[in-house]
Each structure stands twice: as structure tokens, then as C-alpha cells.
Amino acid sequence: MKMSKNPSPILVTQPFLPPLEEFQVYLKDIWDSKWITNNGKFHQDLEKALCEYLGVKYISLFSNGTLALVTALQELRITGEVITTPYSFVATTHSLWWNNIKPVFVDIEPNTFNIDPEKIEAAITPKTTAILPVHVYGNPCNVDRIKEIADTYGLKVIYDACHTFGVDIKGIPVLNYGDLSVMSFHATKVYNTFEGGAIVCHDKATKDRIDNLKNFGFVNGQVVSPGINAKMNEVQAAMGLLQLKYIDGIIENRKKIAELYREKLNGIDGLSYMDDMDHVKHCYSYFPIVISKAIYGKSRDEVYEELVKQNIFARKYFHPLISQFATYRGLESSQPGKMPIAERITEEILCLPIYPDLEEEIILKICNSFKNRFV
Ligand SMILES: *Cc1c(COP(=O)(O)O)cnc(C)c1O
């Protein structure tokens, strides 16, 4: 096999890992106490610390975001049909599947790639019980309009907030909208606990029920519901506590990278990127660009391959749409032509590398290649 000229490939993301010595201090504590899961000390500390950092009332930690989504739907006893977006990671819709709920896809907005609230009402049927929107790339959905629709039709709202961490709208944490918000702390996210997740809720009774659900449905030794095992362990929670010490710097670095990309990609015909939204504090979880072949001269797939030649692995995220996967292709709302905006964006989207340690030199190289149209 021929060795690549560039020894280390540049991936779309790279997890932030704190200094190992600092993590070992936490591990020593866990070894000494021999308490490694089931609402341990670090678990309790992390719930408190995250409530404070994120500005939310109650949080329940999970072993991953997918189980948190599945449990959030259980907690609200969602059934029948749920309106959601095809432009997300498959786990959003898988959580419905695992609850025997039929997903009903609604197209996205052309500027944010979030679910288009103006298309929600047409998708509501007597079986609809909830809306499951995603704050895609961490950009907040139109939360006010979604709330208005949900209130009018008596629907619950669960936000898939797996791309957001510390995102505010006019100083209000985006996690405080909707009945529940679900987070992921997977290795590829802005804030990671190796794997992990959480449900954010607004009252103690709800938190207590969610805590029971993630622990087999146990309450004082009795089983009160068919719960699952989705508990976060102490090693994950320790990682979370340590990551929190670095998170402001992580987001600051990501912001700088996004700003540099924007400066250098500005004015290239056929390329567009997202600017910061008015009154929003962002977390810069991704740097998506849209490549219009008719104007740029090269398609997204061609550009992707050109970058691979340079040992740079951008990501076609989200491609394909969830509705285009074999599992979901049979649904009425999955039929080709039903989601014109999402169907176009999924062919033109490319997420460029962004992570705290990404070197400026690499960013400049990528932007130069785009400017020269890879010739
Ligand atoms: C990462 C992610 C999930 C799943 O989270 P895991 O922690 O990997 O289970 C769900 N939805 C979206 C939008 C995600 O990005």
C-alpha cells in the first residue's frame, strides 16, 4: 500500500481531550470510592454544574443522546404521529421508531435548514401528538412560531438540541423552549463526555420521572414503569466536569475558526455559508457550506473528492436525508419531490473541518483551494 504524503488526515472534527493528568485525578477518586455508576458523586455534581452553566432548571444525564430522545418521548407518552425534519442525524427519527411512532417529515427553511414552521400545520392529522424539531448545526429553530402552533393544536414539543451547547436567543437559553430538550455529549459534539446525553426539563416532578425511566423504572425498590437502562456512569460524568472547565475556550476557538472561514470564503461565487443569527449566541458546532454547481462550476461531490486528495475529510452532513434511507423511504412524506428544499440542500451541503485545535494553516489551505476552484 502506498503511504499518503500527508501523514495525518484532517477530519471534519476531533474531540477535545483535557490533559490526561487532570483526568487521572478524577479517576483516582472513582477508584478510591468504588462508586462507578448509579447517580454517583460526579453525576450529581455534573447535573448541578450543567444547570448552572446552561441556565436551565433541571437536567437528567444519560448514557447517550439517542436513549435520551427515546426516553423523552416515553416521558411525555407520545404516540401516533410526530412531525419532524428529514434534515437531521438518523437518531432523531430512530427515537420515534423505537416508540412505535410514525414520523411525518416536513420540509426545512432555506436559510437555517431547520424545520419550516409554516409547513407544519398542513402535516397535522388527528393522530399528531407532538413536534420533534432539531436545532440544526446549533442554529435555533423559530421557537416562538413553533410554540404558537403547538399551543393552537395541543401538541407537545421536544427539541433535538444535540447540536447546541450554551446557545442563547436574546440571552434566553434555547434549551428552555419546548416541553423537553434533548442533548448529546458524543465525542463529535462541542462538549463531550466520550458518549453521553441529557434531557432538560422545567419541573422537579418531570425530572424525577425521567430519572426513574432511565433506571429501569425503579422507585424505592418498586418498578413503576417499564423503564430502560440509560444511566450516565461516573467516568463519563468526571469527563463532563473536566470539559466544563475548558468549554468557554473551546467555543471561543470554534468561533475564531468560523470567522476565519467566513472571511476567506467571502465573495466566492457559488459558495454560501451561514452568518451568525441576530441576537443569538452560537456554539459553532459545524461549519456547513452550500455549493451551487451551476455557479461554482464544481459539484459538492467533486469538491469533496478534491479535498480527499489533499487528505482533508469534510463531511456530507446531512446526506442523504433521513427520509431517503431505506428504513424510512416507504413513508408518504418520504416520497421524492415532497421536500424540495431539503432535497436540494442535501446535494449541495458540505461541512468543513472545525474543532478547537484545527490549525490556521489548514483553514487557509482549504479556503485557497476553494478560491482557486481546485485547479
Ligand atoms: C449526535 C446526535 C444525536 C444522537 O446522539 P448520540 O449521543 O450519538 O446518541 C441525535 N440527534 C442529533 C441531531 C445528533 O447530532
Side-chain angles (χ1 to χ4, degrees):
M1 217 166 62
K2 243 171 79 180
M3 292 291 284
S4 149
K5 264 186 285 174
N6 188 344
S8 50
I10 303 297
L11 305 184
V12 68
T13 190
Q14 188 183 86
F16 172 80
L17 289 171
L20 185 57
E21 315 82 72
E22 291 181 27
F23 191 53
Q24 277 161 344
V25 177
Y26 289 83
L27 289 180
K28 173 81 171 58
D29 211 313
I30 294 170
W31 257 244
D32 287 347
S33 73
K34 296 191 166 41
W35 190 301
I36 60 179
T37 188
N38 285 56
N39 198 28
K41 183 179 84 174
F42 291 145
H43 183 285
Q44 292 175 29
D45 288 350
L46 184 58
E47 286 194 344
K48 271 194 221 105
L50 280 174
C51 280
E52 207 164 293
Y53 183 85
L54 298 168
V56 303
K57 263 198 167 141
Y58 295 97
I59 197 163
S60 181
L61 297 173
F62 276 73
S63 50
N64 63 60
T66 303
L67 283 170
L69 276 168
V70 168
T71 306
L73 292 159
Q74 287 273 322
E75 158 56 22
L76 297 177
R77 297 178 185 273
I78 304 300
T79 58
E81 295 178 4
V82 167
I83 291 173
T84 189
T85 170
Y87 196 77
S88 182
F89 181 62
V90 284
T92 309
T93 311
H94 282 355
S95 70
L96 298 172
W97 190 267
W98 277 74
N99 279 291
N100 248 316
I101 295 163
K102 180 176 160 189
V104 176
F105 297 115
V106 160
D107 205 3
I108 56 174
E109 297 176 323
N111 52 341
T112 64
F113 311 161
N114 288 328
I115 193 166
D116 187 341
E118 299 319 320
K119 294 180 181 155
I120 290 176
E121 279 178 285
I124 296 174
T125 77
K127 290 184 184 152
T128 310
T129 55
I131 310 172
L132 175 59
V134 182
H135 302 295
V136 176
Y137 305 134
N139 292 323
C141 292
N142 188 339
V143 288
D144 292 331
R145 185 70 187 113
I146 289 170
K147 178 170 171 25
E148 214 170 78
I149 296 165
D151 288 349
T152 302
Y153 294 90
L155 305 176
K156 300 284 188 194
V157 178
I158 299 172
Y159 280 107
D160 180 332
C162 289
H163 288 183
T164 77
F165 195 89
V167 173
D168 291 351
I169 313 171
K170 292 182 182 159
I172 299 170
V174 73
L175 295 167
N176 284 334
Y177 290 92
D179 293 282
L180 299 174
S181 285
V182 176
M183 310 179 75
S184 167
F185 308 143
H186 182 260
T188 55
K189 308 300 205 266
V190 169
Y191 169 88
N192 86 80
T193 57
F194 302 115
E195 294 243 21
I199 301 178
V200 170
C201 63
H202 314 306
D203 63 85
K204 177 80 166 57
T206 305
K207 167 162 166 65
D208 287 344
R209 284 197 306 269
I210 292 170
D211 284 347
N212 301 336
L213 276 173
K214 77 177 182 192
N215 186 31
F216 310 98
F218 273 115
V219 179
N220 300 326
Q222 293 299 311
V223 172
V224 300
S225 58
I228 198 157
N229 179 8
K231 304 184 297 288
M232 178 180 277
N233 69 47
E234 284 294 272
V235 179
Q236 289 173 292
M239 181 65 160
L241 285 166
L242 191 47
Q243 291 269 346
L244 264 189
K245 298 186 178 171
Y246 290 92
I247 190 66
D248 287 336
I250 291 171
I251 295 173
E252 190 52 39
N253 279 4
R254 288 176 166 273
K255 180 180 160 87
K256 282 188 193 136
I257 292 166
E259 284 170 349
L260 186 58
Y261 271 130
R262 287 171 186 161
E263 183 196 322
K264 299 294 173 187
L265 295 176
N266 187 28
I268 302 178
D269 289 341
L271 282 197
S272 57
Y273 51 78
M274 289 170 163
D275 280 313
D276 283 1
M277 293 163 74
D278 290 342
H279 315 295
V280 171
K281 179 175 165 274
H282 289 274
C283 68
Y284 308 95
S285 39
Y286 299 87
F287 194 84
I289 60 168
V290 175
I291 303 159
S292 159
K293 180 176 183 177
I295 306 167
Y296 186 69
K298 274 196 161 62
S299 70
R300 184 273 315 273
D301 289 345
E302 288 167 319
V303 167
Y304 174 85
E305 292 302 333
E306 292 288 351
L307 286 170
V308 168
K309 282 185 207 159
Q310 300 180 25
N311 220 6
I312 291 163
F313 294 84
R315 195 169 163 206
K316 301 174 194 178
Y317 194 63
F318 298 101
H319 176 80
L321 299 175
I322 299 177
S323 51
Q324 293 169 333
F325 283 116
T327 315
Y328 297 107
R329 221 182 274 151
L331 297 166
E332 295 99 279
S333 58
S334 296
Q335 298 316 301
K338 292 235 168 180
M339 310 280 130
I341 310 287
E343 287 168 31
R344 176 175 64 82
I345 297 300
T346 191
E347 297 302 329
E348 299 187 340
I349 196 78
L350 193 65
C351 285
L352 300 182
I354 184 166
Y355 50 88
D357 291 334
L358 182 60
E359 289 158 29
E360 184 170 329
E361 186 194 332
I362 307 282
I363 302 167
L364 296 177
K365 182 173 143 183
I366 293 172
C367 294
N368 265 330
S369 297
F370 272 107
K371 206 169 280 171
N372 302 330
R373 292 181 156 68
F374 297 90
V375 288

